[in-house]
Amino acid sequence: MKKVFTTPKVIGKFMCGLMMICMTMSFISCNKKSPFDIEYLAVKFESGQNWSIIDADGKIIASEEYSPDCEISVITDGVYWVKDKNGFQLYSIDNPKKPLTEDVYDNATTFVEGRSYVVKKGEPIKLINTEGEVIKELPATVTFACRPSDNGYSPYFDMSNMKSGLLNKDGDAAIEPSFLYIQSENEGYCFAANEYDKEVFFIDTKGNKKNSLSTEKYNFIYPYVSNGMIATISPTDEDRKVSYINVDGEKLFTINNSRYYDQERFPINTGMKIYPYIMWNGYAVFNNSDYKYGVVDSEGELVIRPKYTALMSFKDNTFIARKTDKWGIVDNEDNTVLDFDYDKIVGLVLGGNYIVKQDEAYLVVNKSGKKEISDEFEDISCEFFGISITTVVSSQLANIITKDLTPTSYRTLKGNEPLSKAKSVFLSPTVTELEEGATVSEFNFITGPTRIATLLQYANPTNDQIKQITVRVLCGPDFNDVDGFYNNLMECIKAKGFSLQTEDDYTAYFLPENNTQNAISVSLKKDYNNIIMTVDYENNSSETAAATKKNTSTEETEIQPDEPQTTSSSTSDYSWLSKRAATSADIAGKSSAELRIMRNYIFARHGYIFKSNDLKTYFSQFSWYKPTNINVTSLLNPIEKKNVAFIKSHE
């Protein structure tokens, strides 16, 4: 049975859930006066025209001031972000022709109570005010900060100890980074956990535990307290009925005709998203098994039966609703407030009037559907930027990854130590059941736009001793300093007592500077946007460690690609060597040079970096050849290994 949202097996899932909560609650918690009311709006009067700013009466505040390719944030606290190809710049409604400061940021959050988190490439996250002044620069090890809640609290992640904490409205630590994860705050409570898939608990804004909840009993639709309650389903309930509990873990009620579906199954495209089941202002939207939506109150009583094809909470106990393909607004007694005449209703109110779309034009209308602003608009822009801010200071990340690297060990682990010790050292509390010949893979932590994976490679289940540890940094699209990070890692490894043996565009190979007993080797490689550091324990003496420059695995000796020879001019397709065993008929009449190409074709398919120039030149003619690996033995399947040995025996 598919889980809804529970304590994640990996922190990556936590981040996705946290971002979803930040996005969901952006509109509920953006402003204490009302999350829906705005006083200004960015509009385009005609297609291709520059953006203008109007006020609630339709008066033009800035006429065709911003490029049509820009995005403009919702205007709160009198300020707004303009995002173009260069980044984010801050403007004020008092002077829309000139940015408040010269700073251009890579990312920024919409202002909440006069605060916004911002970041520039390779720099620490900063908290600024509506004047653009820096209130707080966060430590360089902080790689994630969520948009503040209505009370000014933001979850954050510190990669120095791989823990999460909570920041207050001034960017100071209300809770030091001491939890596995912390979710967004509301009504003075946060969800938090210290272990994977065990239990979660409510904490207050000082880190005090309120109550623990077993993830075997509850799956939480949103780990977010609202109106003193939270929506859950039971992991064992195949009907997926939604129940509500309070912060003491007491069950309040169940919506009997509800059925929870994953959020992607029913997106509400209204210019904003507020997901069902959050109890807001005493009411919650729910859906049944027919994908129809209704409303219950905080006592669990049915207020609106499930009959709409989409429904979302709106201001003053009203709901934006959809019948078939048209949108309108109803109140909490299901009375029509705004007729179902529109193609779209934007979830914002401009000067007490609704923003709607009809016949390809945006209008501002009152409850009677009468236009309150005479102009019609081709487009509007009211983006809620920055669900969260992420960054990586690449030098800090490189220092953390190599922190416990020595010429003989990594993270205190030495060669041939049991895998169980590695699990504890790498803080991996959940490890997949081992299969014969398998590699244990654990995602350890997310550092903003990167994810760190640790691969503990070993010989076989009956001899689960560590042979190799690989740390893979999965760089997301927001991490735009991959080369800088790679170079920082190079310098950090050298500083740990290693000397560079070989280097090209894709890989670097290191051995200890001195003739060290039980030495280890270290290799780096760039695999598209990923950086991979491999610590190899296979060679446990200085003599064999020195030999690893030529052959990184004694098991690979018989199937290692050859040193330089004369290369055949053939361009045959030997991709079938990965799928079926070669026979005598396949090699009949072939020269030694051609057989050598056949054998090395297998290695090339796995991105092997050939040492011989003739093989490099030969395989570089193929678009599929991507030289990224200095050791591909572990990548070969059984058929490929047999074919390598078979062809080698006939060369």
Side-chain angles (χ1 to χ4, degrees):
M1 179 180 174
K2 188 175 179 180
K3 291 188 177 181
V4 182
F5 191 102
T6 185
T7 313
K9 290 181 181 296
V10 295
I11 295 185
K13 291 183 180 179
F14 146 64
M15 298 292 282
C16 293
L18 178 53
M19 289 182 180
M20 178 182 70
I21 292 303
C22 292
M23 177 176 66
T24 302
M25 303 315 297
S26 296
F27 310 97
I28 291 180
S29 301
C30 270
N31 199 310
K32 290 183 179 179
K33 61 184 179 183
S34 170
F36 303 104
D37 290 310
I38 59 174
E39 299 174 359
Y40 302 94
L41 182 65
V43 300
K44 285 181 184 177
F45 289 95
E46 296 178 5
S47 179
Q49 193 178 67
N50 280 6
W51 289 103
S52 300
I53 305 288
I54 63 170
D55 67 12
D57 296 321
K59 179 182 177 182
I60 298 176
I61 306 300
S63 178
E64 298 186 47
E65 186 64 33
Y66 311 106
S67 165
D69 298 326
C70 292
E71 296 177 79
I72 300 177
S73 74
V74 65
I75 301 170
T76 60
D77 299 320
V79 296
Y80 54 99
W81 293 106
V82 175
K83 179 186 178 184
D84 61 17
K85 62 182 181 180
N86 298 314
F88 293 76
Q89 278 199 289
L90 184 61
Y91 286 80
S92 167
I93 205 69
D94 294 330
N95 185 9
K97 293 182 178 293
K98 182 181 178 181
L100 275 172
T101 72
E102 295 182 356
D103 291 302
V104 180
Y105 296 103
D106 282 5
N107 202 356
T109 68
T110 302
F111 278 85
V112 179
E113 297 299 313
R115 299 288 191 268
S116 171
Y117 282 108
V118 297
V119 70
K120 295 181 182 179
K121 175 183 174 180
E123 293 186 7
I125 297 171
K126 297 174 183 177
L127 181 66
I128 66 171
N129 61 20
T130 54
E131 300 297 323
E133 300 166 338
V134 176
I135 299 172
K136 185 78 173 184
E137 179 177 302
L138 302 185
T141 54
V142 173
T143 58
F144 172 90
C146 188
R147 180 190 294 160
S149 68
D150 187 54
N151 296 317
Y153 292 101
S154 303
Y156 73 105
F157 181 80
D158 193 319
M159 69 178 178
S160 64
N161 65 351
M162 294 180 283
K163 297 291 185 180
S164 293
L166 195 69
L167 300 171
N168 64 21
K169 66 177 182 179
D170 295 319
D172 297 319
I175 300 175
E176 295 291 339
S178 54
F179 292 92
L180 181 67
Y181 70 79
I182 293 178
Q183 301 278 18
S184 293
E185 176 272 340
N186 194 45
E187 299 179 4
Y189 291 106
C190 306
F191 254 48
N194 277 327
E195 293 184 85
Y196 300 92
D197 279 340
K198 296 294 183 182
E199 64 178 18
V200 297
F201 40 83
F202 295 108
I203 58 173
D204 62 23
T205 55
K206 295 182 179 180
N208 301 313
K209 289 185 182 181
K210 171 67 175 176
N211 192 51
S212 296
L213 300 169
S214 170
T215 56
E216 295 180 358
K217 185 177 180 181
Y218 299 108
N219 279 345
F220 303 100
I221 296 176
Y222 307 104
Y224 189 91
V225 179
S226 184
N227 280 200
M229 61 183 73
I230 186 167
T232 72
I233 66 169
S234 168
T236 60
D237 181 11
E238 295 184 359
D239 293 330
R240 299 166 74 86
K241 292 180 180 179
V242 177
S243 298
Y244 286 81
I245 62 174
N246 62 21
V247 293
D248 294 317
E250 299 169 342
K251 183 177 178 179
L252 301 175
F253 59 86
T254 298
I255 307 176
N256 289 319
N257 58 344
S258 63
R259 181 177 177 85
Y260 176 79
Y261 289 102
D262 296 331
Q263 299 304 329
E264 61 268 24
R265 298 285 294 276
F266 47 86
I268 301 177
N269 183 19
T270 61
M272 61 183 287
K273 288 184 180 179
I274 292 183
Y275 292 83
Y277 298 109
I278 291 180
M279 188 66 65
W280 189 65
N281 280 356
Y283 296 97
V285 172
F286 75 97
N287 64 284
N288 63 13
S289 58
D290 295 325
Y291 294 96
K292 295 296 175 65
Y293 295 85
V295 177
V296 296
D297 64 18
S298 57
E299 301 295 324
E301 296 296 325
L302 186 66
V303 174
I304 299 176
R305 68 177 180 86
K307 66 178 186 179
Y308 294 105
T309 55
L311 200 64
M312 56 173 281
S313 299
F314 199 37
K315 68 171 297 183
D316 299 332
N317 295 332
T318 63
F319 304 88
I320 296 176
R322 182 174 64 190
K323 285 182 179 179
T324 312
D325 60 348
K326 291 295 182 180
W327 293 85
I329 297 176
V330 298
D331 64 19
N332 57 355
E333 295 182 352
D334 204 18
N335 300 310
T336 299
V337 175
L338 183 66
D339 288 337
F340 287 78
D341 293 333
Y342 303 101
D343 301 316
K344 180 178 181 179
I345 297 178
V346 178
L348 294 169
V349 176
L350 179 63
N353 296 303
Y354 303 121
I355 306 169
V356 301
K357 188 174 185 180
Q358 187 178 54
D359 299 330
E360 302 303 319
Y362 284 93
L363 318 171
V364 178
V365 302
N366 60 23
K367 291 182 179 181
S368 300
K370 179 182 176 182
K371 289 169 60 175
E372 289 293 330
I373 294 178
S374 59
D375 292 305
E376 296 183 357
F377 311 110
E378 189 273 335
D379 201 1
I380 63 172
S381 183
C382 48
E383 302 292 333
F384 281 82
F385 288 135
I387 297 167
S388 59
I389 290 292
T390 58
T391 189
V392 169
V393 179
S394 57
S395 59
Q396 290 282 345
L397 181 57
N399 284 330
I400 288 169
I401 289 176
T402 59
K403 177 182 177 183
D404 299 314
L405 177 65
T406 75
T408 59
S409 69
Y410 181 53
R411 300 271 184 97
T412 74
L413 296 172
K414 297 182 181 295
N416 293 325
E417 291 189 300
L419 186 65
S420 57
K421 181 176 180 181
K423 294 175 190 175
S424 62
V425 168
F426 279 92
L427 306 176
S428 301
T430 57
V431 176
T432 307
E433 289 297 319
L434 305 184
E435 298 177 3
E436 187 170 357
T439 297
V440 177
S441 176
E442 289 300 322
F443 285 108
N444 289 98
F445 62 99
I446 275 193
T447 61
T450 68
R451 182 177 294 169
I452 308 301
T454 302
L455 308 178
L456 309 175
Q457 299 175 339
Y458 60 98
N460 56 62
T462 60
N463 179 22
D464 65 344
Q465 293 178 334
I466 302 167
K467 299 294 184 183
Q468 195 176 83
I469 294 175
T470 301
V471 179
R472 183 186 296 266
V473 183
L474 310 173
C475 302
D478 293 333
F479 186 21
N480 48 16
D481 192 26
V482 177
D483 290 338
F485 172 55
Y486 182 83
N487 292 331
N488 280 316
L489 264 179
M490 292 261 293
E491 295 306 312
C492 286
I493 293 170
K494 292 176 184 177
K496 294 294 183 176
F498 291 83
S499 61
L500 181 64
Q501 304 293 304
T502 60
E503 181 184 10
D504 58 26
D505 291 339
Y506 300 96
T507 62
Y509 183 76
F510 301 84
L511 287 173
E513 290 178 344
N514 300 318
N515 188 18
T516 308
Q517 263 321 98
N518 299 319
I520 61 177
S521 61
V522 179
S523 63
L524 278 184
K525 66 180 178 181
K526 285 187 282 189
D527 182 8
Y528 298 100
N529 271 354
N530 300 330
I531 305 296
I532 303 165
M533 183 182 82
T534 302
V535 177
D536 199 332
Y537 295 98
E538 184 67 24
N539 306 281
N540 290 314
S541 69
S542 57
E543 292 81 5
T544 55
T548 60
K549 179 178 176 181
K550 288 186 177 181
N551 188 356
T552 59
S553 171
T554 57
E555 296 175 354
E556 193 175 326
T557 303
E558 295 183 357
I559 59 173
Q560 185 74 10
D562 273 350
E563 292 305 311
Q565 296 179 18
T566 302
T567 302
S568 166
S569 60
S570 168
T571 57
S572 300
D573 181 4
Y574 292 122
S575 58
W576 57 268
L577 287 167
S578 300
K579 302 174 182 177
R580 68 170 177 85
T583 65
S584 297
D586 293 318
I587 62 174
K590 295 188 184 297
S591 65
S592 294
E594 181 64 21
L595 291 175
R596 178 170 176 260
I597 287 293
M598 285 183 70
R599 180 166 57 84
N600 282 285
Y601 197 101
I602 296 171
F603 298 103
R605 276 290 182 183
H606 291 287
Y608 183 77
I609 301 171
F610 292 100
K611 298 179 179 68
S612 60
N613 290 328
D614 61 331
L615 286 174
K616 285 182 182 178
T617 301
Y618 176 80
F619 286 108
S620 293
Q621 68 182 300
F622 302 111
S623 60
W624 51 260
Y625 178 56
K626 306 294 182 184
T628 58
N629 296 313
I630 60 174
N631 185 338
V632 298
T633 298
S634 62
L635 303 178
L636 303 186
N637 65 40
I639 292 175
E640 291 171 326
K641 290 180 180 179
K642 289 179 181 179
N643 284 339
V644 167
F646 175 75
I647 297 169
K648 179 70 175 176
S649 68
H650 288 81
E651 285 184 42

